[in-house]
Amino acid sequence: MSIRAITDLDVAGNRLVVRADLNVPMAEGRVSDATRITRFAEGMKPLLARGAALVILSHFGRPKGATDPALSLRYIRDDLSRALGCPVKFASLDEAGEAAAALQPRQVLLVENVRFEPGEERNDPALAARLAALGDIYVNDAFSCAHRAHASTAAIAELMQATAGPLMMAELAALTRALEVPQPPSVAIVGGAKVSSKIAVLKHLVTKVDHVIVGGGMANTFLFADGAPMGRSLHEADEVETVKAIRALAAKHGCTIHLPPDVVVAREFKARAASETVAANACPADAMILDAGPAAVAAFRDVLAGARTILWNGPLGAFEMEPFDAATVALARTAADLTRAGLCVSVAGGGDTVAALNAAGVTAQFTYVSTAGGAFLEWLEGRVLPGIAALDAAPTAA
Ligand code: 3PG
Ligand code: MG
C-alpha cells in the first residue's frame, strides 16, 4: 500500500479537512464513552501545534440523509473541545465554507453531521466537492468508517491530496502486525453469538493464523456439529455444513480449531442464575450453555502461552452477566499478562470486544484495541475497505 501519513507532511499554514469518527455512544444526553474522541484528539494536537487549522467532518448515528436535531454533532462539541484543549467552532455545511475560510492556524471548526446530507451515503461527487473545498489537504482518521464508500470517506479522496491521520495509521499498523504478517505461532480468539455472522471471518482467519479458539454461542454450533446435545442453548442447527466447511479449510491450511472441553450451564438467562459446570457434550435438556468452563480456560491458556501474536474478536460467554463473564475475563487477563511480559503482540476489536476487555480491566495492557466495529470485522474477512483503497489510490502530489 502507498498511503501517505499526514504526520509526514509540513502542515504549517494548511487547512486540513479531517474525517473523524465522532460517532460515540450517548446516554441521557451525554457522551457515555469518549474513547473515540480522546484518541482522535491526541493525534490532532501535534498537527495543531505545528500550525495546521482543522475542519472536522464526522457522522453521528444514522439520520439517512435528512436533518435530525437529535443527531446533531453540537452535542459532541464540548467534549471535543476539552479533549483538544482549545475552542471548537461549529457550523452547518451551508455555513462551513465561510467559517473554514476564516480559520487561523491552530483553530478548529467542527462541521454538522455529514449524514444529514443525502449525498453522503451515495458517495456523491458533488457533495465530495463541497467538502473538499473546505481545505487544502484531506486527512482520513476514521478507520472505523473505512468500510463505507461515502462522500466523506471515498469520493473526496479523489479530489485533493489525501492522507491518513495518526489514528488511522496506528490502526493499520496494528492490524497488519496481527493479521497480515503475524509472528507465529498466532492465535485468533473468536467469540460472539452466531457462526452465521462470522462465516467470512472464520474462513479468512483459518487461512492466516495457526490456532483459532472458538467461544460464545458460536462454539455451541461447533459442538452441535460434533453431535453434542444443546438443551436450550443458543445454536444454529442450519449452520452445520458451514462448520464442516470451516473445519475442512482449517485442516487444509494447518490451522487448529480449539473448542471448550467443558461449559457452564444454567436454567435461566440472567445474572447470578444458579449454574454448574458440565462436559461440553453433556448439556442437560433443560439447561443452556452460557460460558466456557474452567478446563476450557486452562486449555485455552496453554494455547495462548505459546503465542507470539493474539488477535481477539468477541466474548467467550454471556460476559454482561456475572458469573458468565469468567472465561472471557480470565483469558483477557492472560492475554494482557503475556503482552505485558513482552511475549506477544495482542490486538483486539470489533463489536462487543472492547466492552468485554473493559469489563476485564485490561484494555490498556493490550498492544492495540481498536474502537472499530464493522470495519474491524470486514478487515478480518480479508476484504478491501473502500476508505483505505481510496487513500491508496489517491493523488499524492501537493
Ligand atoms: C461505527 O460506529 O462502527 C462507525 O461509526 C460506523 O458507523 P455506521 O455503522 O453507522 O457506518
Ligand atoms: Mg495521497
Side-chain angles (χ1 to χ4, degrees):
M1 279 196 288
S2 64
I3 291 180
R4 164 94 42 118
I6 188 63
T7 47
D8 291 340
L9 301 187
D10 177 10
V11 295
N14 279 303
R15 234 188 301 144
L16 310 182
V17 180
V18 186
R19 177 54 157 101
D21 185 356
L22 303 179
N23 186 34
V24 288
M26 306 281 286
E28 287 152 19
R30 287 174 181 280
V31 175
S32 57
D33 179 351
T35 310
R36 281 180 170 171
I37 296 174
T38 49
R39 284 193 186 177
F40 166 69
E42 283 315 306
M44 290 300 122
K45 279 198 243 177
L47 298 172
L48 284 170
R50 283 158 55 194
L54 308 182
V55 178
I56 299 174
L57 308 175
S58 178
H59 75 284
F60 184 42
R62 292 176 174 166
K64 301 236 165 288
T67 298
D68 177 349
L71 294 177
S72 174
L73 275 173
R74 282 176 198 283
Y75 302 118
I76 310 298
R77 177 184 181 176
D78 286 348
D79 286 76
L80 180 61
S81 170
R82 250 192 315 277
L84 286 169
C86 68
V88 171
K89 300 172 196 294
F90 185 84
S92 69
L93 185 59
D94 284 338
E95 304 155 346
E98 215 172 305
L103 282 184
Q104 299 298 311
R106 300 184 175 79
Q107 292 188 336
V108 181
L109 171 69
L110 174 63
V111 180
E112 182 59 291
N113 191 343
V114 71
R115 283 192 190 166
F116 286 178
E117 301 297 320
E120 168 64 357
E121 294 191 48
R122 288 203 302 258
N123 201 16
D124 175 20
L127 175 60
R130 286 179 72 194
L131 301 175
L134 298 176
D136 320 307
I137 303 174
Y138 173 64
V139 182
N140 188 342
D141 208 26
F143 174 82
S144 46
C145 305
H147 57 319
R148 309 293 182 207
H150 292 174
S152 70
T153 61
I156 188 174
E158 290 174 34
L159 303 179
M160 61 200 302
Q161 187 181 13
T163 66
L167 197 51
M168 170 73 91
M169 292 304 287
E171 294 260 0
L172 291 176
L175 287 171
T176 300
R177 242 171 125 189
L179 192 60
E180 307 313 311
V181 287
Q183 285 277 324
S186 53
V187 182
I189 301 169
V190 187
K194 292 179 168 180
V195 169
S196 54
S197 64
K198 291 200 182 160
I199 296 170
V201 168
L202 288 168
K203 284 189 171 166
H204 187 61
L205 284 179
V206 298
T207 70
K208 290 275 185 176
V209 301
D210 302 306
H211 300 270
V212 173
I213 293 172
V214 182
M218 269 201 304
N220 298 347
T221 301
F222 274 76
L223 294 169
F224 176 75
D226 291 345
M230 285 290 109
R232 291 163 49 224
S233 307
L234 173 71
H235 69 289
E236 293 167 284
D238 51 354
E239 295 295 347
V240 167
E241 288 310 311
T242 306
V243 168
K244 287 184 183 157
I246 291 165
R247 280 192 177 287
L249 199 60
K252 187 175 153 208
H253 288 270
C255 172
T256 309
I257 292 180
H258 302 266
L259 296 175
D262 66 345
V263 291
V264 179
V265 302
R267 266 84 188 169
E268 288 174 286
F269 187 79
K270 67 169 199 197
R272 287 171 287 284
S275 62
E276 61 187 302
T277 300
V278 300
N281 62 1
C283 179
D286 63 344
M288 62 195 123
I289 300 171
L290 293 181
D291 199 9
V297 169
F300 294 165
R301 274 192 166 140
D302 284 346
V303 178
L304 291 189
R308 301 282 305 279
T309 308
I310 298 173
L311 182 62
W312 191 322
N313 171 256
L316 295 180
F319 80 97
E320 328 71 347
M321 305 186 299
E322 280 179 39
F324 310 109
D325 59 343
T328 301
V329 169
L331 228 57
R333 293 206 173 127
T334 300
D337 290 344
L338 293 166
T339 309
R340 214 175 27 215
L343 296 171
C344 69
V345 165
S346 55
V347 175
D352 283 342
T353 313
V354 181
L357 297 184
N358 282 342
V362 299
T363 311
Q365 290 149 48
F366 270 58
T367 308
Y368 194 81
V369 177
S370 171
T371 62
F376 191 90
L377 284 175
E378 289 198 22
W379 181 288
L380 294 191
E381 291 174 0
R383 284 159 69 159
V384 175
L385 306 185
I388 311 292
L391 291 183
D392 207 13
T396 50

